[in-house]
Amino acid sequence: MLLVQRSEIQFLRLSSSQSIWSNRMSLIQTWIEQDHALVAVDTIGHGIGAWDGDVRTMTKLFPFPTANMLIACRGSEIAFLSLIGAFFGDGGVRDIDQAIDTFPDRVARAGSQFDGYPVTEEMTKGELWMVGWSDRVNRMLGACREFNLAGGRILNPEAGLLPQAMLAPGVSPVLPLTNDHVMLDTACRQLGAMKDLGGAVTGGDLMVARVERGRIEIRNAGPIPRASSGGPTEPCADDDRRA
């Protein structure tokens, strides 16, 4: 079980003035069809222990094979680890339907670990993306919830389900997002969109997860190329790879 111990939070307390704990600039892509879904994330960010602005490879998605679902995060890595622990509490998670229904309770449970500590939003705020098979509607579905573990708050409580294609940050993708070449090209454009928003701490490789009923596969699609000018609409270095 991955739980954030109070000793770790106390350690973070000493550095709460530093904004080096966030991977909020992460990129995420989702493509959801009736019988399967694709979720892609980058691998670079500011993580726990990343002193003096250093960046490193991070885990930004976590599968739950027995529940036919996975979660991915944009935001604080320590908040993501805390939420993973909350998903294992009280018998774990049964399926995507239960995960969405009980998410407010899990946020409250994870947030209780921060009670009494002077934490900042860099440590406690983010977005959790949930994608998986729903027995309730007999298809794949997904949801994105913004949260702040400080106070156990859901920041977009009226949010519904994800559409077929969803990107964060949003750019104009080459649809459909059904192969690695297109997803890498779209990730390149996402990096360009983040150039003026701290995008230098985002990038690395593109990890792609395919979720089916009874099966989850995660693969490394390779390094995310960067456009020569860094703009969101510029051709990417390896544009000619697309099928």
Side-chain angles (χ1 to χ4, degrees):
M1 182 180 297
L2 294 173
L3 289 174
V4 178
Q5 302 297 323
R6 282 190 171 269
S7 59
E8 293 179 281
I9 298 175
Q10 192 165 10
F11 169 74
L12 289 178
R13 177 182 180 180
L14 300 176
S15 304
S16 60
S17 62
Q18 301 184 38
S19 59
I20 61 175
W21 307 104
S22 176
N23 64 329
R24 191 171 303 162
M25 303 320 300
S26 299
L27 64 86
I28 292 181
Q29 305 173 17
T30 59
W31 176 262
I32 302 174
E33 299 197 25
Q34 190 279 329
D35 61 347
H36 73 275
L38 297 175
V39 180
V41 300
D42 69 308
T43 58
I44 296 295
H46 289 311
I48 299 172
W51 296 104
D52 300 324
D54 288 343
V55 298
R56 66 177 179 81
T57 301
M58 300 171 59
T59 298
K60 300 184 181 183
L61 61 78
F62 191 91
F64 293 88
T66 59
N68 280 163
M69 64 165 284
L70 60 77
I71 59 177
C73 187
R74 300 180 78 221
S76 162
E77 187 187 30
I78 193 170
F80 188 32
L81 294 176
S82 297
L83 282 171
I84 291 174
F87 269 94
F88 279 103
D90 294 338
V93 58
R94 183 177 63 250
D95 53 32
I96 186 70
D97 302 308
Q98 183 202 36
I100 295 172
D101 292 345
T102 62
F103 187 62
D105 294 334
R106 298 181 195 276
V107 168
R109 185 180 305 117
S112 67
Q113 299 181 76
F114 295 86
D115 290 348
Y117 294 105
V119 294
T120 68
E121 287 190 349
E122 291 291 332
M123 302 178 192
T124 61
K125 192 175 180 181
E127 302 168 5
L128 195 82
W129 297 53
M130 299 170 277
V131 176
W133 175 263
S134 168
D135 286 327
R136 185 180 298 169
V137 297
N138 197 39
R139 63 161 295 130
M140 288 286 166
L141 57 79
C144 174
R145 298 292 182 264
E146 298 178 30
F147 64 87
N148 189 338
L149 295 187
R153 293 175 290 153
I154 306 296
L155 305 181
N156 61 340
E158 303 303 319
L161 300 177
L162 294 176
Q164 182 177 36
M166 190 69 179
L167 306 175
V171 295
S172 297
V174 180
L175 296 177
L177 295 171
T178 53
N179 65 67
D180 290 354
H181 296 325
V182 172
M183 298 180 88
L184 282 164
D185 178 75
T186 301
C188 171
R189 297 172 193 275
Q190 288 179 289
L191 289 184
M194 288 188 285
K195 182 180 180 183
D196 297 327
L197 299 173
V201 299
T202 306
D205 292 348
L206 190 72
M207 303 301 297
V208 179
R210 181 183 175 94
V211 187
E212 301 176 1
R213 189 175 185 179
R215 184 184 183 92
I216 298 178
E217 293 181 344
I218 301 176
R219 65 181 183 276
N220 188 329
I224 302 171
R226 290 183 179 270
S228 56
S229 70
T233 61
E234 290 297 316
C236 291
D238 295 321
D239 243 346
D240 59 351
R241 297 171 312 168
R242 283 187 301 180

